[in-house]
Structures are given as C-alpha cells and as structure tokens.
Amino acid sequence: MTREDFTIGWRTLVQDPLYSLVVVLGLAIGFGTCLLLLGFVRYSWQYNAHVPHVEQVYVLKQRDNRQPTAPWFDQVPLLLHATALKAPGVDSAAAWLPTRPQQLTARIKGHLYRHDSLTVTPEFARTLGLAAVRGDLDATLRLPDSFAITEAGALAAFGSADVIGRTIEVDGQSVRVGAVVRTPPANTTIPFETLFGPNSNLSPPEIRDELVTGSRGWWGRMLIRVKPGASIEAIRTTLQEAVDHAAVLQKMPAVTRARLGGRKVMDVALVPLGEAYFDRDLAANNLARPGPRGDRAVVAGLGAIALLILALAAINYVNLATARVVRRQREIAMRKVLGASPRQISMQFIAEALVVALLATGLGLLLAWLALPLFATLVERDLGGMLSLSNVGAALALGLLLGLASAVNPVWTALRVAPHGALSGRQDSESVRAGQVRKLMTVLQIGAAMGLACVTLAITWQTRHALARAPGFDPAPLLIVDMEGGTNPKHSAAARGLIAALKANGAVAGVTVSEDAVGRHDAAWSRELRRPGVADVRVEMKSVSANFFEQYGIKPVAGRLFDPRIDADEATEPLVVNAVAARQLGFAAPAAAIGQTVVFTNFDDTVVYKRIVGVAPELRFHSLREAPAAIGYELWIAGSTLTVKAAHSLPETEAAVRALWPRWFPDSVLTMHHATDVLAADYAEDRRLARLMAIATGIALAIAAFGTYALAADAVQGRAREIVLRKLYGARKRDIGLLMLREFGALTLAGAVIGLPVGALVGERYLSSFVERAPFGYWNVALAFGASACMALVAIAHHAWGAMRMAPAEALRG
Amino acid sequence: MLKLVNVTKTYHGGDVRTRALDGINLQIEAGEYLAITGPSGCGKSTLLAMLGLLDTPDSGEYWIDGQQVSRLGEAHLNRLRRGRIGFIFQNFNLIEALSVQENVELALQYMDVTVAERRRRAVAMLEKLGVAHRARHRPSQLSGGQQQRVAIARAMVPNPAVLLADEPTGNLDTARGEEVMRLLRQINGEGTTIVMVTHSPAHAAQASRTVRLLDGRVVVDALHAA
C-alpha cells in the first residue's frame, strides 16, 4: 500500500460527501454500539483481573449440608485460616469479615460516611497484591486504632488523598488513617473503602479472637494464593479434612444429623477468583451478601450481539462500497490498462476500506464516549474505566480488521473487472452473482434484526409480566427501612423509640417489624417441621411482628393471621403457614390445618411445638424463577427491617422517616426503599438485559432498514428499463408496486426463515429459567416478524413510489 | 514488430456465440501508422484489445517483437503492456478523482519511477501538449479537446513503442478532432507505432496504411501512397 492509495481513498470520500457521511456514520454507529457492548462484556469478564497473578488466587466456599436446602456460601469457618496458612502449596491465606454487617458508618467532622469496610487478617494485602501509596499498610493493619483507606475513599471522606493521621469516629471511638491504598476497580467481588486489622478496637473481643483462632466455628470470607504448580485438589482436601474433624462444627440437633445421612457437614470448594463473578449459586445471610454476579451465557451472548451489530453495519458498508466499485469500473479498467497489477488494484481498495474503517472507528469511539454515562446508568455498572488506552487500542485494531474484512468483496469485484468490456461500456452493471451476494447479505441483516427483536420481546414481555405480578399485597404505600448492624426493637431502645415516634406521626399508618423485606433474600432460613405420619417438611421461616399481616393488608385463607390484639410479639406457639406448607404437611385443605400442632428441633436439640392458627395467602417472597415454597410465619421482633405504611402520601411518610431517623440513630445513615423497588430488585438483571437488547434491536432494525433502502434503490435503477417496458405494455402503478413488494417480500420472508427460529429458540432458553411464564405464546415471533416487515415496507416505499411514477420516455432516454 | 497469425476470438453470451475475429493475419511494423476501419460489430475494438494485450485469442498466435504472447497469464501481460503500449479512447477515460497532472502521472505509478521523476515527466508532457496550465484542474472542468490531449499525454508519458487509439475523435467536434489527428501524426513522426480505429475515412486517410474488417475478417489491407 502506498501513500497514493490512501490519498485516493480520502479524496474519493471527500468528493462524494453524502455517500461518505452515510457510510462512515452508519459504520460508526455500529462500531460505537459494538464498543459499548464489548466494553460491558470485558468489564464483566475482567472482574478481579486487577489482582496480580489472579490465576493463583482462589475463593473458599462451602455448601452447608446442615441446612435443608444445602446452599453454597462464599463464607467458610474461620478455623480454616490457620489450616490454609500451613497447607502445602499455599503461599498466603487471608480471612476477613465486614467490619459491620453490610456497611460501616463513620462520622467525619459532623457528616456521616457509609461505605464498605472489611476487618482483615494481616495476609490480606499479600494475598490480594495490595500496596500502600502512602503510609505503612502492614503496620496499620497490626495497630488497634489505625485503618487503611483507598484513594477514592479518602477523597469521598476527606476531600483529599493526603490523609495520613486524619481520624474518623465509629460508635464513639476514634480511629486514624495509617495508610492509603490504590482504589480497586469497580469490577471486583471484594469491594472496600476501608480496611481494619484483626486487633482493631472497632471489633468486639470475640470477633478479634475468632479471626485469630476460629474456635467458635464462626464464618468469614477467605482467599488463598497458591504457589505455582500447587495441587488445588490437595489443598481442598486438606481444608475439607479440617472441617470434617472440627469438633465445633459437628454439634447439631440429632434430627439434622439424621438428615445428613452419610454426607459431610460442609463440602469445601475452591473457585478461581477470576471466575468468582460468574459464581451465581451463592446464598446470602446476615453476615454478608455475595454482591452482584453475572451470568456467563448472558455476557457471552451480549458479546456475540456486539459483533453481530458490527457485522450488520459492515454489511451495509460492503454493499455500498461494492456498488461504488461497479460504478467505477472504467477507472479500474483504465488502471489495469496502464499496468496496475491485481495486487496494486487490491491495495488501492483495501486502502479505501481502511480509510473508511478508521474514520468510522474514530467517530465510533467518540459516540461511545458521549453515550457512556447513559449506557452505564442503563446497565447499572461503573464503566468509567472503559475507554482506557488498552481498550482504545483494541478498538483501533478491531477497526483495522473490519477494514480488511470489508475490503474483500469490493476487491473481488474490482479484480473481476475486464478492461476491454468496461472501457467499451459493455460491463456497466454488477454481475448476477455479485447482485445475489448483496441480496443475501441484506437477507442476513433482516434475519438478524428479526431474531433480535424476537428475543427482546420475549425478555421484555416476561420481565413486565413478572414486575406486574401481584405480590399478594399492595406495596404502593409501603416503605422499607433497614436498621444497621442487626439493630432490632427487641434489644435496642433506639429502635423502639423510632418505632414509637413513627407510630405517633400523622403521616404514618403503622410500623411492622420483620427479619427481611418481602421480595428480598438476605436472611432466608428454614426449619424442618414434623407431624405424625408425614415426612419432614422443609419450611422457609419468616419472623415477623404481630401486626405484620394487618399492616400489609393481608387476609387469611383459613383460620386467622397474627393479631396484635391476641398475640404477643414474642409468643412462641402461634404459627401461620401458607397453602403450600399446609399441603406438604399433609392437610387436605387449608382449613384442616387450623389448630394442628407441628414440631421442630432447635439447634440446641430442644423440641419446639407450634400450633397452626391460620393459613396465609401467597406472598411473593421469591421471583417467578422459583416455584412457590412452603412458608411459615412465627412471631419475633428481633428483626432489623421495618415496614412503614403511609397514612396519606408516600412522599409525606418518607419525609417523616427522614426527619425522625437522626434523632434515634444520629450515627447511622438512613437506608430506605420503596417496597415496589424491593420487589422489582429480583428482576434488575432482566430489566438491564431487556434495555440492552432493546438498544441492540433498535440499531439492528435501523441498519437493516438502511440496507434494504439501498438495495431497493439499486433494484429500481437496475430494473428501470424493465419497469418502463412493463408500463409500455399496460402495467399500472399498483402492478409496479406489487412487483417491488414481491421482490422485497421474498427477501423479508427469507430473513424470517433464518432469524425467527434462532430468535424463538434463544427466547425459549431465556424463558426456561422461569417457573411461571407470561402467557404470550409465540406472539413475540409474530410481532418480531411484523415489525421487521413494516421496517422493510417503509425502507422500500420511497423507491417503490419512484418506480411507480417513473416516466417511460425519460427512462428510455437515460 | 506486432504479428497476428490466424487469430480467432469468439464471445459467448448465454446460448449465443459471436465470432468477433475470424482467422486474422496481420503484421504491423515499427513506426507504422495503421488505421482500422469497418462497420459496427466487425471486430475493430476486439482487434485493438487483442493488440493491446487486454484480451487473448482463442486460437492462433500473437507475436510482439519476436515473443509469443497469446498464451500468457494476466500478470505477465500486465508487465508486457506496462510502459510499452499506450491507449487513448473515444470517451477519454480520465479519472475524475484525480487532477489532470495526477491522471498523467498515473501511467508512471505502476512502473519503477520515483515520485519526483513522475512529476517532472508529467509536467513536461502536459507542456508539450499545451495543457500544463490546467494541471490542477479536474477532468470534468476541461473541454473535450483538452481532455483528449490529457489522455494522449497519459498514454505517451511512459514513452511507449505503440499507441492504440480507439476512435480518438469520436466525441470531438471537427476542429478539435483535427487537433488530435495532428498530434497523432506528430507522435508517429517521432517514431511511435500508431494503430487507430476510426469510422472516418478522412481520418483513416491520414494514416500510412488502412486495414478494413468485415465480420471479423480482413477484407482490405492497403498501403496509402506517400
């Protein structure tokens, strides 16, 4: 390739600005969309990639077989820390706990700073490859009154990164900054802003002791860094044996031991830290939530869609460029006549394609940069680092590859130009084969847009159905208020004071206490209930206050529900179940369960009797991906979740809560949600996916529309004489219109044959994860076809109308 | 120097076969000025394409300076043609994306000529043909006569041994046509062999020899009186 080739390429673009604008802009939009989607994909695939030699770091997880559902947790008994440090093949092992359950609230000069904080063993820095940018991290983590903070945390808390020696107050205690560390990227499964050592004054003595000894069998999170070549299975076996032989973990009720059968108390597993983001099979508990997790198939699918969008945009460019080559046959022939070799002809058109591709890449990067904030909001991810130097370099490389790939068809067409024929004016239209290739590419565009539309409709329809599904109560007037650190009205005067103050406020209709909000799963736990003659039934337990059902406006299916006029808040005997539980407990009808007694065995082997006082209707504790489970309600006010019911308007009640909160919890940040938002959180990923798919579908449809429009233009031009002759022989306007419709209808149908089965299959795969599906049958397929057919109709309308109105005399002259 | 021996060329279009050249025997000496005439469809342009190595015969032989070229591949033909054979056409075939000077330089772009040398020779040729003042213009900004002069400059700048002209005056008025014919005589006078296809008997008469084709065969091959 010579400089002249690029100069010609540039001049060719400049001489036809409209064509250039259409081509470059179309390709740029495809590129920008592709870059954004690939950026999201890369962000997802690169969780924890910032950790040095991340391939040597593993997360410890365990399946707790003592629990009826045997869930997996990314938390393990802290006694494994000492075992891991001594295990052959382990370079370092770190254990940590949240400094406070969920988040830590500190006071800094009068304002509250709530953030992720971890209390860690000294090996944490080495295991994660952390280094201090200021201060001494090792010393800081050994001192009881020091902590480390990230650069971002320092800026947020103090407005500066130069913060060594600055102090914060937590629960009345003052601690000072001893070190500043680099801020981990947003795509990490171990987010933190502050780190405290195991000797920290903020930790209760038993927590400090447990981090060191693990003697109580309490859980925490752990990572190990293995030495190169170490056997992971050998390390896992060592840890498993430690769990199997730990006396503290073998204590359990006899009934639980019996249920275990021959299974181990816990199954220990090691997951590479680089894959932790895709490890979705993790439960939450009061200690910690797993955090955002991704679906590998969905992320890979988005990557494929990104490349598909780019390919669709490239198809438009290839079609237009090839059509241009056909119109430049004389020039190509002349170059051949003057001695240009096939290689030189090829280089010229490759250079032109590269000029377009690189311009489009640059413009695409600009469009991606402009759209990034909105896109990040849509996908609810911090994508600020997406346009890094390496990613921009990768985009330019992709642009180069795209340029080379796009040049193939134009070069092939140019090489096939026969000089003699072209210069004598015999070869002024594209060959039949070339025309068929262009039509095939347009069919692929239409098919791809249809397939995407089909999948998008399935996801959107199902998500809307799920969100609209009645949860069993009216969430509109309800606010969910979470009290920090396990604070609850049973043990906290402040909590009782807040509740009393809220109840006395005219904007509040009532306040109820529960362990967790309806629709959230941070504190899910189960019991096995027994009745004579019936197999043990696993029942998911919900601990609530006596006025729970009243405040939620729930009426019984049979018997009665908890009633504050009858039941004391801590009464142990009354039990309310749902219909699923009643059926599984062997009752033929809900009414038959009323007054019956069920039994379970506590962790301390004491037997507890519960009497069923009522059967409640189904409440949507779980998403539509899970079958309704057996639910049992018991009375207990040691929960940290308040449900505040609005007396009049929700904003008024919100304002009342905001006003009262600081009086009772001056050192705690208010966490408040609308109940509707809590219910919707189960489908946050589905909504995100629906938004992404809608964007991709919209762009694919636009690209297909443009491709169809260009093809229609060429079709009319190529068939101008035929159309004229038909008119000469009596064809009416509508006959010509039908001619166009038939041609493009066939292309649309061909696209449907390609795209719809794939779209239907992928949509079905998505829907298969739901137990309850929206009743739309195959309407998504029909609507996708309809939308694409309308798109094709609109795209050909202009040129079809031109063909219908074509004046025979003019066409025959020209 | 150019010798066609029993050359035949047939074109296939669907079920139709057209014999464009039927057993052509023709020898053209160096420095000759040959006019090829005949009715439309008699094979004149095909013969010119064959002579210019733009097409190969189905049968027969084509010799250039003692080398048999009728069975060579496209790449080889390209190399042979480069710098040795120049072309001018009825519709000029200038490239609109390039300036006048760049159109002329194009003929040297595929040869081993430095950029500076290319420019120098192009400018010199444009001056010789009286269009140097239009060097920076686009072809569409020139008159028909000027465009054909630029085309001639492009054809002649590599100093070819042979110039093939396919109806060079077909799109020009009488006066401009005469200018072009004068230029061709001048080029021939400087030693370049010219083979010109023309419909004009008057222009054919300006050559030193006329070959008349009919249905792909040579029916007349006559030298003109000096």
Side-chain angles (χ1 to χ4, degrees):
Chain A
M1 254 176 280
T2 64
R3 204 186 67 172
E4 275 105 353
D5 293 327
F6 286 101
T7 308
I8 301 296
W10 172 253
R11 278 222 219 122
T12 308
L13 287 179
V14 168
Q15 281 187 334
D16 197 343
L18 183 62
Y19 163 84
S20 306
L21 180 70
V22 163
V23 155
V24 172
L25 188 61
L27 204 49
I29 289 172
F31 219 99
T33 308
C34 175
L35 288 177
L36 286 173
L37 287 173
L38 284 181
F40 176 76
V41 168
R42 193 172 184 201
Y43 174 93
S44 301
W45 280 113
Q46 295 214 316
Y47 258 75
N48 302 316
H50 65 286
V51 174
H53 299 291
V54 67
E55 69 282 359
Q56 292 169 2
V57 183
Y58 288 78
V59 176
L60 268 65
K61 64 186 241 186
Q62 53 85 10
R63 177 166 50 199
D64 187 3
N65 293 320
R66 296 170 300 182
Q67 295 195 33
T69 54
W72 282 97
F73 291 92
D74 60 348
Q75 303 161 26
V76 293
L78 287 167
L79 58 90
L80 287 181
H81 180 235
T83 308
L85 283 173
K86 290 183 283 207
V90 173
D91 181 74
S92 64
W96 73 94
L97 292 163
T99 305
R100 292 289 182 271
Q102 312 311 336
Q103 289 191 309
L104 174 72
T105 302
R107 183 173 283 280
I108 304 168
K109 287 192 178 169
H111 80 267
L112 295 178
Y113 165 51
R114 191 161 191 229
H115 61 282
D116 292 313
S117 177
L118 306 179
T119 298
V120 303
T121 59
E123 303 83 5
F124 187 82
R126 181 187 165 87
T127 308
L128 271 185
L130 277 183
V133 296
R134 286 183 168 86
D136 185 333
L137 183 58
D138 281 339
T140 296
L141 293 180
R142 289 187 205 284
L143 293 172
D145 62 347
S146 274
F147 68 101
I149 191 167
T150 62
E151 289 171 304
L155 281 169
F158 301 101
S160 160
D162 186 12
V163 294
I164 300 294
R166 303 279 290 266
T167 59
I168 64 174
E169 267 193 40
V170 179
D171 297 336
Q173 294 192 71
S174 193
V175 283
R176 55 180 286 282
V177 179
V180 179
V181 297
R182 287 211 195 288
T183 307
N187 51 350
T188 176
T189 55
I190 312 173
F192 64 88
E193 284 180 50
T194 57
L195 295 174
F196 292 83
N199 302 316
S200 172
N201 288 335
L202 296 189
S203 299
E206 56 272 21
I207 296 286
R208 280 184 248 152
D209 179 67
E210 189 65 12
L211 269 173
V212 176
T213 67
S215 58
R216 295 170 182 78
W218 291 357
W219 294 3
R221 285 187 157 140
M222 269 190 65
L223 285 180
I224 59 170
R225 179 179 283 277
V226 304
K227 294 174 182 164
S231 165
I232 303 304
E233 181 51 32
I235 295 170
R236 192 205 68 77
T237 303
T238 304
L239 297 170
Q240 180 69 60
E241 283 169 2
V243 162
D244 293 343
H245 294 120
V248 67
L249 297 176
Q250 305 309 316
K251 289 182 198 158
M252 69 195 80
V255 76
T256 304
R257 190 178 299 284
R259 184 175 5 93
L260 273 179
R263 289 181 298 157
K264 296 177 186 296
V265 169
M266 288 176 183
D267 295 317
V268 174
L270 302 180
V271 174
L273 182 61
E275 294 172 22
Y277 176 65
F278 294 113
D279 188 7
R280 293 164 65 86
D281 188 17
L282 294 172
N285 58 18
N286 282 329
L287 182 65
R289 298 182 196 123
R293 290 290 190 264
D295 186 328
R296 210 185 291 262
V298 168
V299 172
L302 283 173
I305 288 171
L307 294 174
L308 177 66
I309 298 276
L310 189 60
L312 295 180
I315 284 175
N316 270 347
Y317 167 62
V318 168
N319 278 347
L320 285 171
T322 305
R324 242 168 113 80
V325 167
V326 169
R327 288 195 284 276
R328 290 167 66 189
Q329 287 187 82
R330 282 180 187 267
E331 175 198 334
I332 296 164
M334 202 57 230
R335 287 178 182 270
K336 288 188 175 185
V337 160
L338 291 171
S341 66
R343 189 185 158 277
Q344 284 164 324
I345 297 287
S346 303
M347 287 299 126
Q348 181 194 332
F349 286 95
I350 289 173
E352 289 183 22
L354 284 176
V355 168
V356 168
L358 288 173
L359 277 175
T361 305
L363 184 58
L365 278 167
L366 177 65
L367 292 173
W369 176 71
L370 289 170
L372 187 56
L374 176 63
F375 181 73
T377 306
L378 278 174
V379 300
E380 295 162 13
R381 292 284 186 268
D382 179 357
L383 300 177
M386 201 180 89
L387 291 174
S388 62
L389 217 55
S390 66
N391 282 351
V392 168
L396 288 170
L398 184 61
L400 271 172
L401 265 173
L402 182 72
L404 289 171
S406 304
V408 168
N409 203 33
V411 163
W412 180 76
T413 306
L415 289 177
R416 288 169 60 82
V417 168
H420 178 213
L423 290 169
S424 59
R426 276 208 297 270
Q427 197 179 347
D428 60 358
S429 60
E430 65 185 342
S431 67
V432 170
R433 190 179 200 137
Q436 284 171 342
V437 169
R438 289 185 61 207
K439 277 186 184 166
L440 175 64
M441 290 203 278
T442 306
V443 163
L444 287 176
Q445 286 181 315
I446 296 172
M450 246 189 246
L452 282 174
C454 189
V455 176
T456 303
L457 283 168
I459 295 172
T460 307
W461 214 319
Q462 177 65 25
T463 304
R464 290 183 69 140
H465 170 78
L467 288 169
R469 188 80 164 67
F473 60 94
D474 179 13
L478 302 178
L479 291 170
I480 306 298
V481 176
D482 293 308
M483 292 184 285
E484 273 187 11
T487 305
N488 62 77
K490 181 170 180 176
H491 301 111
S492 163
R496 290 193 294 275
L498 173 67
I499 292 171
L502 284 170
K503 282 179 176 173
N505 190 291
V508 174
V511 181
T512 183
V513 180
S514 58
E515 214 168 356
D516 203 353
V518 179
R520 209 159 57 184
H521 318 292
D522 291 348
W525 61 286
S526 307
R527 287 197 198 284
E528 291 208 331
L529 301 184
R530 297 194 304 275
R531 273 187 72 222
V534 176
D536 291 356
V537 175
R538 181 181 71 82
V539 176
E540 200 173 307
M541 295 305 297
K542 306 295 175 190
S543 303
V544 299
S545 57
N547 65 346
F548 175 84
F549 293 104
E550 190 182 82
Q551 291 304 314
Y552 271 73
I554 296 164
K555 301 281 181 260
V557 170
R560 66 170 182 87
L561 302 177
F562 295 142
D563 187 338
R565 290 174 287 267
I566 304 171
D567 303 303
D569 271 333
E570 291 281 294
T572 56
E573 198 188 48
L575 178 71
V576 172
V577 298
N578 68 349
V580 174
R583 193 168 52 249
Q584 290 183 7
L585 283 165
F587 298 110
I594 308 306
Q596 299 300 311
T597 300
V598 293
V599 172
F600 68 85
T601 308
N602 239 343
F603 286 109
D604 56 3
D605 269 331
T606 52
V607 175
V608 179
Y609 292 87
K610 295 274 190 193
R611 185 173 52 86
I612 299 173
V613 299
V615 176
E618 292 308 319
L619 298 190
R620 190 151 60 82
F621 285 101
H622 298 281
S623 76
L624 295 189
R625 286 190 161 90
E626 294 155 285
I631 306 282
Y633 302 86
E634 61 178 15
L635 288 161
W636 197 52
I637 58 163
S640 304
T641 301
L642 304 180
T643 304
V644 182
K645 188 170 183 177
H648 313 293
S649 76
L650 206 57
E652 193 185 334
T653 311
E654 276 183 276
V657 174
R658 280 191 220 286
L660 286 170
W661 178 271
R663 287 189 220 166
W664 299 99
F665 296 102
D667 293 323
S668 180
V669 173
L670 169 62
T671 309
M672 182 165 58
H673 306 280
H674 293 188
T676 46
D677 293 338
V678 172
L679 289 165
D682 266 340
Y683 305 103
E685 272 216 36
D686 300 279
R687 282 193 309 187
R688 183 166 40 244
L689 184 60
R691 279 183 222 132
L692 284 172
M693 291 297 297
I695 292 171
T697 300
I699 289 175
L701 276 170
I703 290 173
F706 182 78
T708 310
Y709 179 87
L711 195 67
D714 284 342
V716 169
Q717 195 176 32
R719 295 175 80 171
R721 284 180 187 263
E722 176 201 340
I723 291 168
V724 156
L725 284 166
R726 283 175 182 267
K727 287 189 170 187
L728 286 176
Y729 283 107
R732 294 156 295 187
K733 278 186 185 160
R734 66 166 179 265
D735 297 318
I736 304 301
L738 272 172
L739 195 69
M740 293 286 289
L741 267 178
R742 267 201 293 271
E743 179 173 347
F744 286 87
L747 293 183
T748 306
L749 275 173
V753 166
I754 294 170
L756 288 179
V758 175
L761 265 170
V762 173
E764 192 55 37
R765 171 97 198 269
Y766 167 80
L767 293 170
S768 67
S769 68
F770 286 86
V771 168
E772 182 181 325
R773 295 164 53 151
F776 58 78
Y778 288 101
W779 274 104
N780 61 319
V781 175
L783 285 173
F785 176 77
S788 304
C790 284
M791 173 277 298
L793 198 61
V794 168
I796 69 168
H798 172 74
H799 294 295
W801 183 241
M804 286 156 70
R805 294 181 61 224
M806 197 183 283
E810 281 177 26
L812 285 170
R813 265 201 304 276
Chain B
M1 75 181 286
L2 306 177
K3 185 171 166 187
L4 295 167
V5 179
N6 206 23
V7 160
T8 304
K9 180 71 183 180
T10 305
Y11 290 110
H12 302 268
D15 291 333
V16 178
R17 293 175 47 168
T18 307
R19 183 156 276 200
L21 297 176
D22 189 4
I24 299 283
N25 289 285
L26 183 65
Q27 187 161 321
I28 305 169
E29 301 300 333
E32 268 202 272
Y33 187 169
L34 174 68
I36 300 177
T37 64
S40 294
C42 69
K44 303 189 297 295
S45 294
T46 307
L47 177 59
L48 209 67
M50 202 72 61
L51 288 170
L53 301 176
L54 298 180
D55 211 344
T56 48
D58 293 333
S59 65
E61 294 166 359
Y62 179 22
W63 298 77
I64 298 180
D65 290 340
Q67 182 185 2
Q68 227 266 63
V69 300
S70 27
R71 303 285 173 259
L72 296 179
E74 190 183 334
H76 205 151
L77 292 177
N78 258 347
R79 281 197 296 276
L80 276 175
R81 186 171 58 245
R82 209 177 285 160
R84 182 186 256 179
I85 302 176
F87 291 81
I88 56 175
F89 300 91
Q90 178 178 350
N91 50 14
F92 324 131
N93 282 325
L94 297 175
I95 297 171
E96 184 58 27
L98 304 177
S99 67
V100 160
Q101 182 173 328
E102 285 166 344
N103 266 281
V104 175
E105 287 180 22
L106 191 65
L108 300 172
Q109 188 176 321
Y110 304 111
M111 299 166 63
D112 277 329
V113 177
T114 64
V115 174
E117 177 67 9
R118 246 189 265 166
R119 276 197 196 127
R120 188 191 65 74
R121 284 167 65 170
V123 168
M125 187 56 69
L126 286 170
E127 279 170 357
K128 185 175 176 182
L129 292 174
V131 279
H133 61 294
R134 299 292 226 156
R136 295 264 174 260
H137 288 89
R138 295 271 180 252
S140 56
Q141 294 173 305
L142 275 56
S143 67
Q146 288 173 327
Q147 288 189 55
Q148 193 62 292
R149 275 191 274 163
V150 172
I152 293 172
R154 180 179 62 189
M156 293 307 299
V157 77
N159 223 3
V162 179
L163 177 66
L164 303 179
D166 192 348
E167 307 216 35
T169 61
N171 275 354
L172 302 175
D173 58 40
T174 310
R176 304 288 86 77
E178 286 306 318
E179 275 180 31
V180 167
M181 291 308 297
R182 184 183 57 73
L183 276 170
L184 291 179
R185 285 197 302 275
Q186 182 184 334
I187 288 166
N188 179 243
E190 289 167 1
T192 304
T193 306
I194 296 182
V195 179
M196 176 183 67
V197 165
T198 182
H199 270 123
S200 165
H203 290 162
Q206 295 184 35
S208 59
R209 172 182 167 202
T210 297
V211 163
R212 185 173 172 78
L213 297 183
L214 182 65
D215 295 333
R217 296 198 184 104
V218 174
V219 295
V220 173
D221 185 353
L223 282 169
H224 299 162

